[in-house]
Amino acid sequence: MSYVFERSLLQAISDWQRGGDARQNRKRGIALKDACASLPRKYRSSALCCFRQIALPKGGVWDLIGEDRLSEKISSWTTSIEVAKRIKGGVPPQHQGYQGVIFCLRPKCEDVIINLAELYRAPSFKAALEHNKASITGCHEGAGRYANDQSEVVLEIAAVTQQDIYSMGGYSSPFEQLVDIAADAAYGLHATQEQRDALLLKAEQVRAESGPHWLDPKATQRVLNRLQAPSAQLREIKRQQDSG
């Protein structure tokens, strides 16, 4: 006997995909968890690694490593690293006090609220959604708008560790400045303007590589390793403040 996708479940999924502020997301996350409790296990598990991008306020990385915690327990993740990199506009804008971080983990079955990426591949689910869309409040802003665009898996994760951080967002120097540095290395400090212009023209095809970018996992771990000792010191200071 095939599973029947009730309208209440479809409404909870669409509400979750609509998004909202922190309070709305908490409320919708709880409603989604309740609605998904009876789903077949294949829609409440993930064989793939899941990624999540967040923008942490200044100092947030220190808090994250020191406390191993997340502010949102029920949250959206994706099975696509490319989706994680570009969601929310990609690397947070420079000089605004935020650090972009991408987590990666392989969730346990009990962590998975719903695997929307798997669910949207089911013909019976898509048929139920199509049949009920007129009675789903705000469907055009939720399920009707996003569907499976983000390869989404909703997880309930209370804490993360340093090892779960896959990438950190960063900025290179401006492209023209990088070319100037390359010109100095190639021609010496007295490179002519013609030499600099010629090098700039040759390098134009890699202009997109400058500016905002996500560090690869190895580079990310090198940065985090440098933060490890100060982080331990901060934890000790906090422990002493709490006990005093």
Side-chain angles (χ1 to χ4, degrees):
M1 184 176 179
S2 61
Y3 183 85
V4 177
F5 296 99
E6 301 289 349
R7 195 192 68 80
S8 57
L9 170 65
L10 303 176
Q11 182 68 65
I13 290 172
S14 186
D15 285 346
W16 175 261
Q17 291 193 280
R18 286 171 68 185
D21 57 29
R23 183 185 63 82
Q24 287 174 317
N25 285 339
R26 282 193 295 271
K27 182 178 179 180
R28 289 171 178 172
I30 293 170
L32 182 66
K33 182 179 180 179
D34 291 342
C36 293
S38 63
L39 272 175
R41 176 56 68 182
K42 66 179 180 178
Y43 301 131
R44 292 185 292 116
S45 61
S46 176
L48 301 176
C49 289
C50 294
F51 302 90
R52 182 187 177 200
Q53 183 213 132
I54 65 172
L56 294 169
K58 188 176 181 179
V61 175
W62 303 80
D63 294 338
L64 185 69
I65 297 173
E67 301 296 332
D68 294 344
R69 60 183 169 79
L70 288 171
S71 58
E72 295 177 334
K73 310 306 180 192
I74 299 177
S75 54
S76 293
W77 296 63
T78 176
T79 57
S80 168
I81 181 58
E82 294 308 318
V83 169
K85 286 179 177 180
R86 67 173 181 264
I87 203 166
K88 301 177 184 177
V91 178
Q94 198 171 18
H95 306 310
Q96 291 192 8
Y98 286 90
Q99 171 68 62
V101 176
I102 295 177
F103 301 115
C104 174
L105 54 79
R106 188 181 295 276
K108 300 184 291 290
C109 283
E110 58 266 30
D111 298 332
V112 181
I113 301 295
I114 184 171
N115 187 333
L116 289 173
E118 182 69 26
L119 191 65
Y120 271 103
R121 285 193 284 268
S124 56
F125 171 76
K126 290 189 286 188
L129 189 60
E130 179 64 25
H131 178 75
N132 288 279
K133 66 180 182 180
S135 61
I136 297 173
T137 303
C139 185
H140 64 287
E141 298 175 343
R145 177 180 180 183
Y146 294 104
N148 196 27
D149 287 351
Q150 296 177 352
S151 302
E152 184 177 357
V153 180
V154 182
L155 303 181
E156 185 170 24
I157 301 291
V160 292
T161 68
Q162 176 177 326
Q163 286 67 41
D164 296 323
I165 299 178
Y166 178 87
S167 180
M168 297 174 68
Y171 283 79
S172 72
S173 300
F175 179 69
E176 286 76 10
Q177 183 178 339
L178 292 174
V179 172
D180 276 343
I181 294 172
D184 289 341
Y187 305 114
L189 297 179
H190 302 294
T192 66
Q193 189 59 49
E194 289 76 11
Q195 288 173 323
R196 294 178 186 276
D197 290 343
L199 187 58
L200 181 64
L201 185 61
K202 289 180 181 179
E204 190 65 35
Q205 60 184 342
V206 296
R207 176 183 287 271
E209 300 299 320
S210 66
H213 63 283
W214 293 101
L215 299 177
D216 64 47
K218 288 184 178 179
T220 295
Q221 286 305 314
R222 286 197 296 270
V223 172
L224 291 172
N225 287 338
R226 289 199 296 270
L227 292 177
Q228 205 165 27
S231 177
Q233 294 171 4
L234 287 177
R235 284 199 299 270
E236 178 60 21
I237 291 171
K238 183 176 185 300
R239 186 190 65 77
Q240 292 178 9
Q241 290 174 337
D242 291 343
S243 62

